[in-house]
Amino acid sequence: RSRGKMMAAVFAFQGLGNVSASIVAIIVLACFKSAIQSDVYTLDYVWRICLGFGAIPGAVSLYWRLTMPESARFKEETRRRQLATEALHEPETESLLAKPVCIEAGETGSAQTASADPQHTREMGEEAACEEQTTRRLTDESLSQYFGQWRHLKVLLGTSLAWFAVDVAFYGINLNSSVVISAIGFSGDVQKDDPYRVLTRNCLGNIIINLLGSIPGYICAVFTIERLGRKPIQLFGFAALTVLYIIIGFGYHKILDASNVAFIVLFTLAQFFQNFGPNVTCFVWPGEVFPTRFRATAHGISAAAGKLGAIVAQAGLMSIKDRGGPNAFIPHLIEIFALFTLAGFFVTFWIPETRGKTLEDIEGEA
């Protein structure tokens, strides 16, 4: 009943991390305030220290993960696979599995009674065959064999492509953070103004943006994911993002010329539906929908697809944002993001809903 809520809460700490990064930067800037105002190149120390602080939660998380016991389900799956492997290598077990009936003398009933009941013999044979099939599936089925079946492969493609699509948009739309920060009056020219003041206000602007859209989105996702389900949240999130990106992309300059407030509202809504939407569900869903023996690998593949999307956004699309002039291509990039989120909407239908199901139920369906 709370599995999705707990997983979403874990991922929601990403929002807390975004806010904390700006807070750390403000503190480090304050510590070097006089030095920065005397020599702007002191900022070289500031960004290195800020970057170094990022290693602290990583090191703590690594320690906790290395000392964390494996889950009961993983231990049970490992035990079952070990027993199944041993069973397949024991000749007596193989012969027992192969025989439909094996009743020793002295037991209740006799072999003659068993052989006299063909219905009983057939049922015992089917049960033994089923047990043998299960045993061989546990030991012989590899990752490639499992995902070689379209009904399993399409689920992996759904989780991977959806994560890829949302990360292209998630990391790409942040290209507009500077526009929003400027609109709310927290930007400046670091070469003309006091560098300390400009950077501090930029950090404050980032905090405001996260508190306006991202954090509320995470909170809504955490508290509704078990009520609404993964698929409705992801579908509605992708649909809302597609509409918002179309509006922002095609009306970019008109909106900015008409009202900064309108642009801020649209940008905030996009941040909100990223997190009360696919940014959270793309993390939660792959951790549930696959069998235990392949879950970690499939989740890793899905996450890797997402990081590939981040690379496409930052390294690929970032390189063309100034085509035609500074930030001149951003409206067209946002239109491109709309295509990605629309694709994410459709591949979501390949993923089965997991709300209200135990992991055993989900694995049995797989």
Side-chain angles (χ1 to χ4, degrees):
R1 290 181 298 177
S2 60
R3 181 184 64 240
K5 183 177 180 179
M6 292 175 63
M7 293 179 69
V10 169
F11 191 74
F13 272 78
Q14 183 185 58
L16 180 61
N18 290 335
V19 173
S20 298
S22 295
I23 293 174
V24 168
I26 290 172
I27 293 172
V28 176
L29 283 166
C31 292
F32 284 84
K33 179 178 180 180
S34 58
I36 293 171
Q37 291 174 335
S38 300
D39 182 7
V40 70
Y41 288 102
T42 305
L43 288 172
D44 192 51
Y45 296 102
V46 173
W47 77 262
R48 294 176 190 275
I49 293 172
C50 291
L51 186 65
F53 268 106
I56 296 176
V60 172
S61 299
L62 178 62
Y63 170 77
W64 281 342
R65 182 61 190 91
L66 292 175
T67 56
M68 183 187 302
E70 294 290 353
S71 68
R73 285 184 175 86
F74 179 81
K75 291 179 179 178
E76 175 63 18
E77 178 70 19
T78 303
R79 187 188 69 83
R80 288 171 58 196
R81 289 177 65 84
Q82 183 177 359
L83 291 175
T85 301
E86 292 174 356
L88 286 177
H89 288 83
E90 292 179 5
E92 293 182 2
T93 305
E94 288 184 339
S95 62
L96 287 174
L97 289 173
K99 293 179 180 179
V101 181
C102 182
I103 302 177
E104 295 182 2
E107 293 180 345
T108 303
S110 64
Q112 292 178 352
T113 304
S115 61
D117 186 354
Q119 176 67 24
H120 178 70
T121 302
R122 185 166 57 254
E123 290 177 354
M124 291 292 290
E126 292 174 353
E127 182 179 348
C130 180
E131 182 178 352
E132 182 179 12
Q133 182 180 5
T134 301
T135 301
R136 292 190 179 279
R137 179 180 63 82
L138 286 170
T139 54
D140 295 343
E141 191 173 40
S142 65
L143 185 73
S144 60
Q145 290 172 327
Y146 180 81
F147 289 112
Q149 303 174 55
W150 171 245
R151 67 189 185 98
H152 300 318
L153 177 62
K154 73 175 182 179
V155 178
L156 180 61
L157 288 174
T159 59
S160 299
L161 292 176
W163 206 333
F164 174 83
V166 72
D167 271 11
V168 170
F170 180 82
Y171 289 94
I173 197 64
N174 289 327
L175 295 172
N176 287 278
S177 295
S178 59
V179 177
V180 178
I181 291 173
S182 176
I184 61 178
F186 281 84
S187 65
D189 190 336
V190 74
Q191 295 180 340
K192 297 179 180 179
D193 303 329
D194 177 11
Y196 167 78
R197 182 178 182 276
V198 171
L199 293 175
T200 300
R201 290 181 63 79
N202 263 269
C203 292
L204 289 172
N206 271 306
I207 293 174
I208 292 172
I209 289 174
N210 278 282
L211 293 179
L212 284 175
S214 295
I215 299 299
Y218 284 119
I219 293 173
C220 287
V222 169
F223 287 102
T224 61
I225 193 167
E226 292 296 358
R227 294 182 181 181
L228 301 178
R230 288 71 167 153
K231 181 171 286 188
I233 291 177
Q234 184 159 308
L235 285 173
F236 188 76
F238 270 131
L241 288 172
T242 301
V243 173
L244 287 167
Y245 290 155
I246 289 174
I247 294 172
I248 297 173
F250 286 96
Y252 189 86
H253 296 293
K254 291 181 180 179
I255 295 171
L256 281 176
D257 293 339
S259 172
N260 284 339
V261 174
F263 188 87
I264 293 170
V265 169
L266 290 170
F267 183 84
T268 299
L269 286 173
Q271 295 285 77
F272 176 83
F273 284 112
Q274 280 174 345
N275 297 307
F276 180 48
N279 194 38
V280 170
T281 54
C282 281
F283 173 83
V284 174
W285 225 345
E288 303 174 309
V289 75
F290 299 105
T292 300
R293 60 192 182 280
F294 302 130
R295 186 174 299 132
T297 301
H299 194 283
I301 293 171
S302 303
K307 298 317 111 182
L308 179 61
I311 293 172
V312 168
Q314 291 293 309
L317 300 181
M318 176 73 82
S319 64
I320 61 174
K321 74 182 184 71
D322 293 326
R323 180 177 292 179
N327 295 328
F329 204 71
I330 283 183
H332 302 298
L333 290 179
I334 298 175
E335 295 162 11
I336 294 172
F337 299 155
L339 292 176
F340 278 99
T341 53
L342 182 62
F345 176 86
F346 286 112
V347 299
T348 297
F349 288 101
W350 291 349
I351 316 171
E353 178 61 76
T354 56
R355 180 177 69 91
K357 298 179 181 179
T358 66
L359 293 179
E360 288 77 13
D361 293 337
I362 297 169
E363 184 160 358
E365 294 173 0

